[in-house]
Structure formats: structure tokens, C-alpha cells
Amino acid sequence: MIIRPRRLRKTASIRAMTSETRLSPSMLVYPVFIREGKNIIEDIPAMPGQKRYSPDKLPVILERAVRNKIGAVLFFGIPDHKDECGSSAYDDNGVIQQAIRTAKREFPELTIIADVCMCEYTSHGHCGILHGKDVDNDATLQYLARIAVSQARAGADIVAPSDMMDGHTAAIREALDINGMTDTAIMSYAVKYASAFYGPFREAAGSAPSFGDRKSYQMNPRNLREAIREAELDISEGADMIIVKPGLPYLDVLRAVKECVNVPVASYSVSGEYSMMKAAASMGWLNEKNIACESAVSIARAGADIIITYFALELAEYMLNGEL
């Protein structure tokens, strides 16, 4: 035999040298849940290893992220006050705004991404303004714009609208520019499916809808071509980066989107993916480190430039130690 592919698999050094997919801590984004209050660090039962932090306790986790050379963190706020229009989300002294100011003061080198949505802040748990039992798309846009401007004013480097309203990127870009925030980037959840994998997140953030579901505005899991349309729409409206969410169940969508767009593409490996791996590992059925690494590699191999994952801290440590 002249051709023996196994020659390039002989040693760890050769395998590393010839790897087609390469990851680095700088491509990781770590999601952080921030609860209103003080002196709070509390476990999230549905997501073992993840916690909620009050703004004053954020340095505890952000210091580890910086030490591990993680590129950015993504903030989700959990307010004490909720109402029909999610007013706490655009309060300049709201929980997310407090967290952003703390993070930028203590760790100015860390990129701060702020989630722009209303579900954690509304009394009904939907991602916009209700008209009867339906989310009013156009009425919601002005609120999303107010949220993004407030977050940018607090110091967010990037705002990330996750609401899936039509026209949200254009509304946010216009509001940011009018307010002189032309350098604030938009990372749009352009491709966000109505997935069954979000359950643990909704417990963590207290964002489950009080009635119905989100299938009228989040995407149909059966559709792929629609994902390309959504991505192209958000880019045309000014998105600097886009997200495909969830991660592992939608690798085909990630690949298709990546091949059609010319902006950085992120994949969000969501709470359900994380909790499944944690549960299987806790039962001894799978090796947690190995499946976390293999999952991250598969997402990068499918085309992700950026990976949003709850395993970010561990993955970064593996990379820095030469284990991934």
C-alpha cells in the first residue's frame, strides 16, 4: 500500500499538526445569568455547575473568564420587577445595566454582549408587547430599540436581539445610530428555532411564557431555507454578526447559513444540550470532558466562527492546557 492515512494519526503531535478544525478561547462566549440584588451567588438546579450572580458578585466569574482568555460574555438579566411592557429591561439602572457597568469597570478588556429581549422582563413571559394573546411585532420594535440603547449607554460592546421580531435589527441599528452609538455592534439571533432544548434556560432566567408558546415568532424546526432568508434579512438590516440557535441539532443549518453569508456566524449550544451532557456524565454513561470537547469541535467544523456555550470556561482551560 502506498497511501496510508493512518500515518497522520500516529502520534498526538502529528494529529494536532494536521487538524483541520482548530479552536481557541477567543472564539468562545460564556453566557452569564444576572439576578437583581446583592451578594447573590446561587445554583441553577436544571443546569448543574451554572449559577446566577448579582451584579456585585460578577467579578467572581468574570475573573475566571479573563484568566482563561475567553473572548466575550453574554449577559441575561433577571429583574425583580416585571410588567406588561418589560420596563425593567430599558431602565438605565436595571439589573443588566448595572452588570454591564460593573464588568466594564473591573474588566475593560472583556467584550460584553447584552441580550436584547423582553421575555425575562414581561409579566406574561413573551418576547414582546401583547395585543390580546398575540405578540404585536411592530409595537414591540420601539421597546427593543430602547433596550438596546440603554444597554449600549451602560457600556455594552455588542447588543444581541433574540426576540425574533421582523425588522428588529433595522429598528435597533437606527436607534443606536441616532443616539451616537455607531460603534455598538449587533449580533443578531437571526436564526432562532422554536426548540424543545430551551427548557433549562427558561428555569434559569424565569422566562417561560405564562400561556401558549413562541412558535408564531421563533422558527419552525422543519425549515432550512427559511434560515438563509432570515440571516440575509438581518444582515441587510445592519447585523454585524448572526447567531444560529440551537447548536448540535442544527449543524446542517449552521453549515448552510455559513456558506451563504459574509459576516461572522455564531452557534449557540443551548441549555438543553448542556444539561443533557451533564446528566449523562453524572450517571457515568458518558465522559463529560470528552463529549464537551467533541461537541465544540463539531460546531466549529460545521462552520461556526464563534461558539456560545455554557462549557466555555472548561473548554478554554482544555485549550490552554493543550488538551483540545
Side-chain angles (χ1 to χ4, degrees):
M1 286 186 288
I2 297 173
I3 300 172
R4 292 180 181 267
R6 286 182 57 188
R7 294 187 189 112
L8 301 186
R9 306 172 194 150
K10 184 177 180 181
T11 66
S13 176
I14 293 174
R15 291 192 297 271
M17 180 176 64
T18 58
S19 293
E20 299 173 24
T21 302
R22 298 168 185 262
L23 288 80
S24 69
S26 62
M27 71 188 294
L28 300 176
V29 176
Y30 183 53
V32 182
F33 297 97
I34 303 148
R35 176 179 166 179
E36 196 160 356
K38 292 185 177 181
N39 201 34
I40 297 170
I41 300 179
E42 61 185 15
D43 293 333
I44 301 172
M47 300 178 68
Q50 302 304 307
K51 301 179 185 297
R52 302 182 191 93
Y53 301 87
S54 54
D56 61 310
K57 288 297 184 179
L58 267 180
V60 173
I61 192 66
L62 298 187
E63 191 278 332
R64 184 179 173 192
V66 170
R67 185 173 69 246
N68 289 355
K69 303 187 184 305
I70 286 174
V73 290
L74 172 59
F75 285 170
F76 295 96
I78 307 165
D80 286 341
H81 172 73
K82 300 188 179 191
D83 55 31
E84 290 291 305
C85 61
S87 61
S88 293
Y90 51 84
D91 181 347
D92 283 344
N93 197 39
V95 60
I96 207 80
Q97 288 80 358
Q98 294 177 42
I100 294 168
R101 287 193 291 268
T102 296
K104 296 307 291 185
R105 181 178 64 249
E106 299 292 331
F107 303 97
E109 72 276 30
L110 189 62
T111 296
I112 306 300
I113 308 170
D115 180 75
V116 178
C117 198
M118 298 176 68
C119 59
E120 300 106 309
Y121 302 88
T122 55
S123 51
H124 46 74
H126 278 282
C127 300
I129 300 299
L130 292 185
H131 184 196
K133 293 292 185 179
D134 298 321
V135 174
D136 187 327
N137 188 100
D138 293 4
T140 299
L141 298 181
Q142 62 176 307
Y143 289 89
L144 297 173
R146 290 180 69 180
I147 295 168
V149 168
S150 179
Q151 294 173 344
R153 186 182 296 121
D157 301 290
I158 301 169
V159 293
S162 62
D163 53 278
M164 286 301 288
M165 297 298 116
D166 294 338
H168 64 174
T169 301
I172 290 171
R173 184 72 271 161
E174 180 181 16
L176 290 170
D177 290 353
I178 287 173
N179 284 275
M181 300 167 182
T182 56
D183 288 338
T184 302
I186 298 176
M187 175 187 275
S188 172
Y189 290 70
V191 182
K192 181 179 178 180
Y193 285 89
S195 173
F197 284 85
Y198 301 150
F201 175 95
R202 291 175 181 171
E203 177 183 313
S207 62
S210 60
F211 66 90
D213 54 41
R214 296 174 179 146
K215 293 180 180 179
S216 66
Y217 45 101
Q218 294 179 357
M219 286 181 56
N220 183 346
R222 297 169 183 255
N223 293 353
L224 188 152
R225 293 195 304 273
E226 184 183 7
I228 297 170
R229 184 185 185 200
E230 287 278 9
E232 291 175 343
L233 277 171
D234 275 25
I235 293 168
S236 72
E237 293 177 10
D240 302 285
M241 298 168 273
I242 60 171
I243 300 172
V244 175
K245 179 183 180 182
L248 290 177
Y250 294 86
L251 294 180
D252 60 324
V253 178
L254 172 62
R255 168 53 63 185
V257 169
K258 179 62 181 293
E259 290 177 348
C260 292
V261 305
N262 59 1
V263 301
V265 178
S267 175
Y268 195 149
S269 184
V270 299
S271 61
E273 300 170 57
Y274 172 85
S275 295
M276 284 196 307
M277 287 188 268
K278 279 286 188 177
S282 72
M283 296 298 292
W285 297 334
L286 295 171
N287 180 289
E288 181 179 311
K289 176 181 176 181
N290 291 347
I291 57 174
C293 291
E294 186 174 340
S295 297
V297 167
S298 72
I299 291 171
R301 189 181 63 242
D305 304 293
I306 301 161
I307 302 175
I308 306 169
T309 171
Y310 299 96
F311 279 116
L313 297 174
E314 293 85 352
L315 290 171
E317 289 178 357
Y318 302 150
M319 293 176 198
L320 293 174
N321 292 334
E323 301 172 278
L324 172 57

